[in-house]
Structure formats: structure tokens, C-alpha cells
Amino acid sequence: MNMAMTNVAAGQYAIPRRVGSHRARAVTNGVMTGLCAAAVALALVPLFSVLWLVVSKGIHSLSLSFFTKLPAPVGELGGGVGNAIVGTLFMVGLASCIGLPLGVGAGIFLAERGDGKLGHVVRFTAEVLAGVPSIVVGVVAYGLIVLPMRHFSAMAGAVALAILMIPTLARATEEMIRLVPRSLREASLALGVPAWRTSLSVVLRTALGGLINAALLAIARAAGETAPLLFTALNNQYWNLHPLQPTASLTVQIYNYAISPYEDWHDKAWGAALCLLILIGGLSLIARLAAGRRSQA
Amino acid sequence: MASGADTPRHAHLGDRAFAAGITLLGGAVLLVVGIIVVACARLSAPAFAKLGFFRFLTGSDWNPVEDSFGALPFIYGTLVTSAIAIVVAMPVAIGLALFLTEMSPSRVRRFVSFFVEILAAIPSVVFGLWGLMVLVPILRDVVEPALQHRLGFLPLFQGAPMGIGFLPAGIVLAIMILPTIASVTIEVLRTMPAALREGALALGATRWEAIGAVVLPYARRGIMGAVILGLARALGETMAVTMLIGNQPEIHGSLFAAGYSLPSVIANEFAEASGAVHTGALAGLALVLFGVTLMLSASARLLVRLSARRLVAA
């Protein structure tokens, strides 16, 4: 390295052997600081490019009928992604019914009794589970539900999304509960409240804002998943609110529109992408507000 | 237990029920991993029985019509795109993390962290759409011809610039794993005691010298963990790669060529797989993917944790 420092041996800190002139060191410092700042700029370019294009190209498609109508065949004007929006909300709702209790429950376990051996194993497993590719979870949901029922279904998609929600929720819930001051718990116990009621109505009650925040973020992430839905919920050209029937989703719809060769479907892909980002952004915004209210309380 | 006052003998019935309930829910996390393994293994059994595990992994022919399945082209494509992603994302992510933790005022830090969070929240399919409509034309018309003009003698940059192929898939992957690497690196750098950094500065080191002499050696293991986590995410990323890699089960040395990746072939063929062997082969690919990402995530988490523990010992 330029600054005339050498690594003596692995594991030891570098020891300066010969220090260059003040000017040279200052220049090196300046150049490296500039490079790191450039890294920040470089990282943000794609973000702004994505956001700008989704908004500028998607805004033309947005209209009342885009939100409420069924998809139109190629070449026909109009049509919308109403069934896909409803399908996404439906599946994410179903997934929340399964995933929220399991994820939050596991988080409560980690916070309340997570200092033992089982706790460490569960915590590590949750961390590792968070890195499992979503497509693998899709295959699992296919094996668990689609294959035995011989039918693609919203339920299968929801199960896949629920499995994806559990690990992040568990870790976030634990963090939120551990933020609750010990004195609150102790005060409740000192008043003779049983430990389980203390956990539920004092500690969890205090952490509620944080839990809502974590839950909404998990839901937002689930809404953006595509891969595990491709061969579980499949797709559907029509409205569907039956858990055992194939169901459209915004993400799969974006995918199908994007890889099609038709120009007007590309426009619809941008429009659907804008819908999806509005949905996810809205959920994240509410999550942020929930977290903000907690910190004020 | 946090309360400490209750011994099991005196515990209320409610306490016991509550403890049992949450322990059950905690155990459910372990159960989920078990379910994943069993479901994938059961689905893939017909394929392994017919082809043999080793032949399946090393075969390079993928032909569902003749029940001939080899995983090699997909493993190759996954490795090549992930390698591109790491090479591109690692310096940018670490530079960003260093800038935010070591160099910038806290207002900039909060501002940039907010945008990095947004970057992490954008769905894969939207990146795929952006890659297809924006990145591919730029690569096809500008970047790839330029690379070929300058570095065309390298086998990496030969063949017709199509825009679709390993290169765009790798670049979009880089954008997607950047928040992962950056946020874990920031987390690791934050755990470093300020006294070490300040000691170096007090001895007259410039900021960059303090980073080189104290910060980076200290955080090395944690940063390696962050990069491995990013790699695990790149290996399993599906939609953006499926939309950009070209979906040809072939092995080419050039980055301009079209290929295929493990998650992409599962995404494309699973719903319409014909027969138990085809489904089984795809589930076998999922099992391979699961095993590799599991090992990578586990070792990354251990590295990050080791890095944090050294801090406690110090």
C-alpha cells in the first residue's frame, strides 16, 4: 500500500515501518476518501435510475381501469391488473395468517428463553434460514401442497411466502422485545403479575410499535416475491379469491409482461411495477411511522 | 428466564403453558428446515435413482425429452454470474461502508443508509425489468462493443455483443447484493471500539492510514462474512437472472454469451415439468442450491459472530 505500512503477520495489526512525506500521506488520504465517496455515488445511480424509470414509464399506464380491470389480450387497448393486485393482497394476507404467528412466536421464544442451548440453535437456524433462496422455498411448497392436491393454488403460494417471512420476523421480534427496559418487567413482576402475563401484557405491549414495524416490513417483502409463486400460485387471467385455485399476482404479471415481445405489454409491465412499488413503499412508510411512534412513546 | 423469581416448582400453570407454547413456536423454526430438506429430497429421489447423484452433477447435457439431465451448465452459469457480481459489488460496498462509518458526517450517513435500505427493498422482478429495458441496450450498443474493441483478445470478451447473457445478469446481481454486503460490513465496523481508531488517529495517522492499519485488519473476518452472505444471495437470486441470462443450457467462456443458472431453470421449467424424473431433476437442483447456500450462510454468520466476539474479548 502507498502509505508504507506492511502487514507483519496475519492476525496482527500493520506496523508502520517507514512513513512517507506529509504531503504524500495527505494526498493518499484525499484520493481514498474520494474513491469511497465515489462508491456511494456509484451505488445510488442504479437506485435512482430504477425509481425514475418505473415512475416515468409507469405513470402513463396508471388509470382507474388499470387498477380495476382484468388483463386485456395482446393488441387490445385498455385492460388492467386488478386481478393481480387482488391476488397479491390475497396471498400475502393468507401468508400473514400463517407466517406472523409463527415468526413472532419464535421471536418471543428467542427473547424470553433464548439464552439456553435450544435458543442459540434456533437463533442460528433463523439466521441461516433467512439466506435460503426463495425459489427453493417454492419447490418445497410445490412438494407440500401442489403435488398432493394436484392443483396449483393460492394456498401453495401463501405457504411459500409464509416460510420466507418466518426467519426475518423472528429475529426482528427478538430485537424489539429485548429493547424493552428490564425495569418495566421487574416492576410488573414485583406487583405480583405472573411471568406469562408480564410477558404478554407488559413487555409485548410495550414492544408493539416495533412488532408492527417488523410485521409490515415482512409483509412488504413477501409482496415483492416472484420466484416462489411461479409454480405454486401459477397465474390466472380472471379474478380469484378461492384459496385452492391458481391466482394471479403483480410480480408474476410483471414478469410475464416484461419477457413478452410486445411493446404495449412492456408499458403494462412498467405500470404494474409502479403499482408494486407503491404498495411496498406504502407498507414501508406505515412501518416507519409505527416505529417512529414507538420511539416517541 | 428473565424473571428469575419463579422456580419450576412454584411456577404457575399459566407460566408453564406460556413457556411450552413459545418453545414450540421456536422449535417450529427448526422444523421448517427439516421440512425443506425432506420435501426437496423426496421430490428429487426419482431423478437421483435414475441418473445417480454424481452423474447428475457432472453431466452437461440437459434434454427433458430424452430424460437426460446434467446440472453442469447451470452450476457454471450460477458461478460465473455470481463471480461477476462479487467482483463488481465488493469494492463498491466496502467503499460505501467505510465512507459511511469512517468519513462522513452523521447527516449524510442517515441519508445514504435510507437509500441503501430502499435499494434492498426493490423486488427482484423490477430489477429484471430495468435490466431488460435499460441495461441490456446500453451493454449491447455501448459497453460490450467497447470492451471487445479494447480487450477483444481475451476469451472473456469474444463473440457477438447481444446484450443478454452472463454480463448483464452479473451486473444486476451486483446491484442486488450490494446492500447486503454494505449493511453487514457497516454492522461489523460499528462494533469496533472507538478507542482503537482514535488511538491510531492520536498517533498521527491520517484517516485512511487508520483504516488501513486498524479498522480493516480488525474487521477483516466480519467483512469476509459480509461478502460470503452476498455470494449466497447471488447464487440463489432468481428473477433478475432469469430475465437477463438468456436461458441457454450451454457452457461458454465469453461473458457476452447466453447461459443458464440453477434458479432460472427451476423457475422456467418446474411448472411444466413432464414426469417425475424431470421434476425430480429440478428439485435436485434446488437441493444442491439449498445445500450450498446453507453452508455459505452458516459460515458467514460464524465469521461475523467471531469478529464480534473478538471485540468482547478485547
Side-chain angles (χ1 to χ4, degrees):
Chain A
M1 236 175 289
N2 220 355
M3 54 193 200
M5 295 190 172
T6 17
N7 261 316
V8 172
Q12 273 184 295
Y13 299 136
I15 297 172
R17 198 194 280 160
R18 180 178 57 83
V19 177
S21 77
H22 178 71
R23 209 184 129 83
R25 294 170 56 210
V27 168
T28 309
N29 188 46
V31 168
M32 296 316 291
T33 307
L35 280 179
C36 287
V40 175
L42 194 61
L44 296 183
V45 167
L47 172 67
F48 289 121
S49 173
V50 169
L51 291 181
W52 166 245
L53 281 158
V54 168
V55 173
S56 65
K57 291 198 172 202
I59 200 104
H60 305 298
S61 308
L62 292 200
S63 61
L64 190 63
S65 65
F66 193 72
F67 289 109
T68 55
K69 288 237 169 88
L70 289 172
V74 190
E76 249 176 62
L77 283 178
V81 292
N83 63 334
I85 295 174
V86 171
T88 289
L89 293 177
F90 177 51
M91 276 190 286
V92 169
L94 274 179
S96 304
C97 294
I98 308 166
L100 286 184
L102 282 173
V104 172
I108 297 174
F109 166 74
L110 287 175
E112 300 273 331
R113 328 201 108 213
D115 297 325
K117 207 167 194 179
L118 180 64
H120 284 290
V121 174
V122 169
R123 190 173 298 117
F124 191 70
T125 309
E127 278 179 356
V128 170
L129 200 58
V132 172
S134 58
I135 186 106
V136 173
V137 176
V139 172
V140 171
Y142 177 90
L144 284 181
I145 302 196
V146 177
L147 207 56
M149 299 202 157
R150 304 176 167 280
H151 216 295
F152 296 105
S153 65
M155 199 41 155
V159 165
L161 296 182
I163 293 177
L164 288 167
M165 288 168 100
I166 292 172
T168 38
L169 256 178
R171 295 287 291 139
T173 303
E174 181 192 4
E175 234 169 79
M176 291 306 156
I177 294 179
R178 284 193 188 266
L179 283 179
V180 175
R182 212 185 148 77
S183 53
L184 271 180
R185 188 193 292 270
E186 283 165 356
S188 165
L189 289 171
L191 287 173
V193 181
W196 69 277
R197 290 223 41 190
T198 301
S199 296
L200 285 180
S201 48
V202 177
V203 179
L204 267 186
R205 179 78 189 69
T206 312
L208 195 64
L211 293 188
I212 293 174
N213 173 43
L216 286 172
L217 289 181
I219 291 171
R221 262 186 57 173
E225 286 289 352
T226 317
L229 301 179
L230 286 172
F231 40 82
T232 51
L234 207 69
N235 201 349
N236 196 330
Q237 293 305 310
Y238 304 99
W239 303 96
N240 172 52
L241 279 177
H242 194 295
L244 299 181
Q245 290 297 323
T247 302
S249 59
L250 264 179
T251 46
V252 173
Q253 198 68 13
I254 296 171
Y255 173 63
N256 287 337
Y257 280 152
I259 60 169
S260 77
Y262 314 113
E263 200 63 38
D264 61 328
W265 277 17
H266 292 170
D267 292 339
K268 285 179 184 167
W270 288 109
L274 183 56
C275 287
L276 183 64
L277 287 194
I278 290 172
L279 177 66
I280 291 176
L283 283 169
S284 312
L285 198 70
I286 301 171
R288 219 159 238 276
L289 292 179
R293 233 187 46 186
R294 174 182 56 88
S295 61
Q296 274 169 21
Chain B
M1 197 160 69
S3 68
D6 288 0
T7 58
R9 244 181 316 147
H10 300 117
H12 297 272
L13 192 63
D15 282 353
R16 278 202 222 161
F18 180 67
I22 58 175
T23 309
L24 222 63
L25 287 168
V29 174
L30 305 180
L31 193 67
V32 168
V33 176
I35 289 175
I36 293 177
V37 175
V38 171
C40 285
R42 266 185 50 196
L43 276 177
S44 56
F48 289 145
K50 183 160 187 294
L51 306 158
F53 187 66
F54 193 70
R55 242 187 67 203
F56 172 67
L57 278 190
T58 54
S60 58
D61 180 49
W62 183 270
N63 191 343
V65 181
E66 291 170 15
D67 261 5
S68 162
F69 300 103
L72 205 57
F74 311 109
I75 296 175
Y76 176 79
T78 302
L79 290 181
V80 169
T81 48
S82 302
I84 298 171
I86 291 288
V87 168
V88 175
M90 191 168 82
V92 179
I94 294 177
L96 181 137
L98 284 175
F99 187 81
L100 292 193
T101 51
E102 309 289 327
M103 302 167 180
S104 68
S106 68
R107 212 182 311 156
V108 176
R109 184 184 314 152
R110 247 174 291 149
F111 184 74
V112 176
S113 305
F114 174 68
F115 282 113
V116 172
E117 259 174 56
I118 298 186
L119 189 63
I122 292 180
S124 175
V125 71
V126 176
F127 277 117
L129 175 68
W130 176 82
L132 213 50
M133 306 295 167
V134 180
L135 190 63
V136 165
I138 294 177
L139 285 179
R140 186 185 55 216
D141 302 333
V142 183
V143 179
E144 289 185 355
L147 277 173
Q148 198 157 44
H149 184 67
R150 297 272 154 75
L151 300 164
F153 57 90
L154 290 172
L156 286 180
F157 304 116
Q158 282 171 4
M162 297 183 295
I164 289 244
F166 294 119
L167 196 58
I171 291 174
V172 169
L173 274 183
I175 298 170
M176 298 183 68
I177 65 172
L178 196 143
T180 310
I181 303 181
S183 60
V184 179
T185 304
I186 289 172
E187 198 182 298
V188 167
L189 292 177
R190 284 246 173 98
T191 63
M192 200 184 118
L196 287 178
R197 189 181 298 128
E198 284 160 8
L201 293 172
L203 286 173
T206 62
R207 246 174 220 295
W208 178 250
E209 284 167 353
I211 290 171
V214 180
V215 176
L216 285 183
Y218 196 93
R220 203 179 39 210
R221 266 191 262 190
I223 294 177
M224 205 197 291
V227 173
I228 297 176
L229 275 183
L231 176 64
R233 179 144 187 236
L235 294 177
E237 185 44 62
T238 310
M239 297 320 295
V241 176
T242 306
M243 293 160 89
L244 296 170
I245 198 171
N247 298 336
Q248 301 287 327
E250 292 158 14
I251 296 178
H252 293 290
S254 169
L255 299 184
F256 297 169
Y260 224 148
S261 81
L262 289 170
S264 309
V265 71
I266 303 173
N268 279 331
E269 295 189 3
F270 206 95
E272 285 142 24
S274 49
V277 180
H278 191 188
T279 307
L282 292 167
L285 297 181
L287 199 60
V288 169
L289 199 59
F290 176 67
V292 173
T293 49
L294 201 69
M295 277 190 292
L296 284 176
S297 313
S299 52
R301 287 299 174 189
L302 284 176
L303 277 170
V304 171
R305 217 175 264 189
L306 265 174
S307 170
R309 192 166 303 161
R310 238 181 52 171
L311 145 98
V312 177

